[in-house]
Amino acid sequence: MKLEEILEEATQALNMVYRVRDTVGNLDDIYETEYIDHRQTPGAYQHLTNAIAMVELFMCDVEGEIENE
């Protein structure tokens, strides 16, 4: 698989995680629990935000590799 294809798949995954995080965030607006959005221990929203950051870092690494080719 080419790096450009990997970057495209990562972009698609990132968009999906953004949508999931937004949907999960809406759940907390309906009924608040510590499972979704919690400040003392990470809830689902915080974990999804961390996943977004990790995918973005992955994408930066791939973009760096593409530039070095």
Side-chain angles (χ1 to χ4, degrees), residues 16-65:
M16 284 191 300
V17 177
Y18 269 115
R19 283 194 305 267
V20 170
R21 186 192 65 178
D22 292 344
T23 301
V24 166
N26 290 336
L27 293 175
D28 198 58
D29 294 340
I30 297 166
Y31 183 76
E32 288 186 25
T33 71
E34 69 273 11
Y35 302 115
I36 300 298
D37 191 3
H38 198 55
R39 302 298 177 207
Q40 294 178 352
T41 58
Y45 189 88
Q46 288 78 21
H47 285 298
L48 290 163
T49 299
N50 289 338
I52 288 169
M54 294 292 107
V55 173
E56 288 174 342
L57 287 172
F58 172 81
M59 291 172 70
C60 286
D61 287 350
V62 172
E63 288 169 343
E65 289 294 321

